[in-house]
Amino acid sequence: MTGEVNFNFKGWCIFISGSTEGIGLAIAEEFGKAGARVIVNGVRREVAENALNYLRGRGIEPILFLGDVADRGNVVKLRDLIEGECGRLDVLVNNASIEVDKPFEDYDYETWRRLIEVNLDAYYMLARELLPLIIKGEGKVIINISSVQGVECEPTTGAYSVTKAAEIGLTRVMALDLAKYGVRVITVAPGAIDTPLNRVKSSNLDPGGSWEHAYSVISEAIPMGRFGKPEEVANVVLFLSSRAASYMTGTTVFVDGGLTALSPTGVKIKDLTKPKVK
């Protein structure tokens, strides 16, 4: 064998979009614990400050970039920040996404465009604008966080599923074109993960407002019988960013408890609205 497995990211510079809570925050934490210099990103200052305090409490001193990365002007400012702080970028994690659930016939154009901007345009802009810094990096890795809904949709997911499928396509295109620079591009597609957003979404599905009950119903459709933890996604991201995955590019890695192995995979959300039998 050539090379060595190394999960020590000391000295590496990592940027994770949408990393002030949920999966993004878990990725920032795991990279930070592995010695990387982490640049976190969010749009709400209060949430961002909470994330900074959380990371500092674990011995990690992150850099904050507060701003919407779907805005090209902000992406240029981010490039300048990374260049000034690190001089290079070893790993770009495109993670920031939004989700709006509506039937297709109720989807207005403004909502459709906003999801395209945040979930797809921003992925492209960050990769394109930061590419010169990535090429200079030691890692040379781009991770696009997609979703199982990029390959198997649920009703009313609208533009969210469309963008998640497009992110998988974007990964393939970038992987082919950037291989000559030694840049690897990989999609990570999580399934049902226990995040603050999913707790809110699940509590809205349950007639009693209980995310715990909603989780228990949804988990019946997951072979492993539970929701995943954000750190379980983060650990996969670290592996894919390491030299242990040096021959992987252009592929999609599912972190879903076996959900995409099922056929059919649809969760019967309507069961949540049935009266509970006493």
Side-chain angles (χ1 to χ4, degrees):
M1 292 180 63
T2 59
E4 60 179 347
V5 176
N6 184 3
F7 294 102
N8 180 1
F9 293 94
K10 187 175 181 179
W12 283 34
C13 185
I14 317 293
F15 174 74
I16 310 108
S17 68
S19 46
T20 55
E21 58 185 346
I23 291 172
L25 180 58
I27 294 171
E29 180 180 359
E30 294 305 318
F31 267 120
K33 290 193 298 187
R37 195 170 191 193
V38 177
I39 303 171
V40 299
N41 162 248
V43 294
R44 293 176 291 170
R45 180 165 293 279
E46 182 179 355
V47 176
E49 291 295 339
N50 289 338
L52 294 180
N53 291 333
Y54 173 84
L55 293 171
R56 288 167 182 155
R58 281 148 183 79
I60 301 164
E61 190 57 48
I63 301 168
L64 172 64
F65 180 78
L66 193 67
D68 181 2
V69 290
D71 182 314
R72 189 171 185 276
N74 282 336
V75 174
V76 172
K77 292 176 183 177
L78 171 65
R79 179 201 62 199
D80 294 342
L81 172 68
I82 296 172
E83 192 161 24
E85 292 284 349
C86 302
R88 72 184 201 200
L89 183 63
D90 293 286
V91 182
L92 164 64
V93 182
N94 278 317
N95 173 70
S97 291
I98 56 175
E99 180 176 358
V100 177
D101 295 334
K102 289 182 179 180
F104 181 80
E105 65 273 18
D106 294 336
Y107 237 90
D108 57 274
Y109 181 72
E110 289 73 18
T111 302
W112 178 271
R113 278 305 316 162
R114 181 58 180 161
L115 267 78
I116 298 293
E117 289 168 0
V118 174
N119 297 4
L120 182 59
D121 292 352
Y123 280 42
Y124 155 77
M125 285 194 296
L126 284 167
R128 182 65 186 85
E129 197 67 48
L130 301 180
L131 182 60
L133 294 173
I134 295 169
I135 291 173
K136 289 167 61 177
E138 185 176 345
K140 295 184 175 64
V141 177
I142 300 172
I143 304 289
N144 292 324
I145 305 297
S146 180
S147 166
V148 294
Q149 292 190 47
V151 293
E152 297 186 351
C153 305
E154 295 173 5
T156 77
T157 55
Y160 180 77
S161 289
V162 172
T163 57
K164 292 298 155 181
E167 289 163 8
I168 293 172
L170 180 64
T171 290
R172 292 171 176 166
V173 168
M174 290 197 299
L176 293 176
D177 287 347
L178 302 183
K180 59 181 174 286
Y181 301 109
V183 175
R184 298 188 296 112
V185 190
I186 301 171
T187 296
V188 173
I193 306 298
D194 179 19
T195 64
L197 178 62
N198 272 337
R199 289 190 180 189
V200 171
K201 181 180 176 181
S202 296
S203 65
N204 290 336
L205 290 171
D206 187 75
S210 167
W211 63 265
E212 293 95 338
H213 175 246
Y215 272 22
S216 69
V217 174
I218 295 169
S219 294
E220 293 176 5
I222 302 171
M224 291 187 70
R226 64 175 177 87
F227 273 51
K229 301 174 183 178
E231 56 267 32
E232 291 179 301
V233 180
N235 288 333
V236 172
V237 171
L238 262 66
F239 162 71
L240 295 172
S241 300
S242 75
R243 294 183 181 88
S246 59
Y247 200 54
M248 293 181 69
T249 193
T251 192
T252 298
V253 178
F254 293 95
V255 187
D256 65 356
L259 188 60
T260 51
L262 284 170
S263 182
T265 61
V267 177
K268 295 183 178 179
I269 300 298
K270 64 181 180 181
D271 288 346
L272 291 171
T273 61
K274 290 180 180 179
K276 297 177 184 178
V277 178
K278 296 183 180 180

